[in-house]
Amino acid sequence: MDDDVNGAIRNPPARLVVGISGASGAVYGARVLDALNDLGVESHLVVTKAALLTLSQETDLSPDELTAKASVVHKLGDVGATIASGSFRTLGMIVAPCSIKTMSEIATGVTSTLLTRAADVTLKERRPLVLMVRETPFHLGHLRTMTALAEMGAIIAPPLPALYARPSSIMEMVDQSVGRTLDLFGLDWRAVRRWEGLKS
């Protein structure tokens, strides 16, 4: 049987929902899509308008080049899309990067776009929802919102550099954060540099 006694899916399809919102760091979402392609995992992408603005400022990727990396692309306003329903089975969802606005909307359950609706569905179905929140410093309202989301079952995973991996470029830092985040879905990406203990 596919279902455990508590309703959790034992053998979900190799399919992940990817949201890209308007925080700095659109490259994280792009590299998540690259990683899923490497791993043979079907990606379902939804991107906000603000994310496309950020993409144009921070990378050389065009919107078409970004969406070409995904297996399936959903329109932001298409609340009838497959990923808006809990009956559409997935490994979960990652929002990379996750803006404070997007985080706050998910926390309230008042979802106005397909991205936040898909995140809400992920929570209600008790699937992993990973939010790569991009903001600093945090004020108390941010922290309380993150606490509320953690209590609902979301995983808050700001993309922070792992300096023990001795990254030699920004892209290596990005890939390490992306790979460690994919670990949370049981996906092992080749770009991750694993800790091997203290060097003598």
Side-chain angles (χ1 to χ4, degrees):
M1 291 182 61
D2 284 341
D3 293 339
D4 202 343
V5 291
N6 65 358
I9 299 171
R10 285 183 177 171
N11 299 302
R15 176 190 293 152
L16 194 68
V17 181
V18 180
I20 304 178
S21 67
S24 178
V27 67
Y28 290 106
R31 290 301 283 162
V32 167
L33 295 172
D34 289 336
L36 295 179
N37 280 326
D38 286 351
L39 294 165
V41 175
E42 182 179 297
S43 57
H44 284 254
L45 175 66
V46 57
V47 185
T48 69
K49 293 177 182 178
L52 294 177
L53 288 174
T54 305
L55 182 78
S56 70
Q57 297 299 304
E58 297 183 348
T59 77
D60 295 325
L61 287 172
S62 70
D64 287 344
E65 288 170 330
L66 175 69
T67 56
K69 295 173 180 287
S71 307
V72 181
V73 180
H74 300 278
K75 293 182 180 178
L76 187 64
D78 185 8
V79 292
T82 52
I83 60 174
S85 173
S87 65
F88 185 71
R89 302 200 319 169
T90 70
L91 293 171
M93 180 174 181
I94 180 171
V95 184
C98 182
S99 68
I100 293 296
K101 178 184 176 183
T102 296
M103 176 189 76
S104 301
E105 196 168 305
I106 296 167
T108 65
V110 182
T111 58
S112 63
T113 68
L114 178 59
L115 193 158
T116 51
R117 168 59 187 170
D120 192 63
V121 165
T122 303
L123 285 175
K124 81 179 182 67
E125 296 295 326
R126 307 301 192 269
R127 297 170 187 155
L129 172 65
V130 178
L131 306 178
M132 295 183 77
V133 178
R134 270 289 293 113
E135 188 63 82
T136 190
F138 297 119
H139 63 58
L140 185 56
H142 298 155
L143 295 170
R144 285 179 173 158
T145 301
M146 285 187 274
T147 298
L149 281 164
E151 289 171 343
M152 292 179 210
I155 300 169
I156 309 298
L160 302 173
L163 298 180
Y164 65 80
R166 296 289 187 94
S168 59
S169 67
I170 291 175
M171 195 54 68
E172 284 188 6
M173 288 190 283
V174 168
D175 285 356
Q176 183 74 9
S177 289
V178 165
R180 290 288 290 117
T181 302
L182 291 176
D183 281 351
L184 299 169
F185 299 94
L187 300 172
D188 185 5
W189 190 33
R190 56 173 175 75
V192 177
R193 295 186 183 182
R194 304 290 177 186
W195 176 248
E196 298 178 349
L198 292 173
K199 296 179 174 62
S200 58

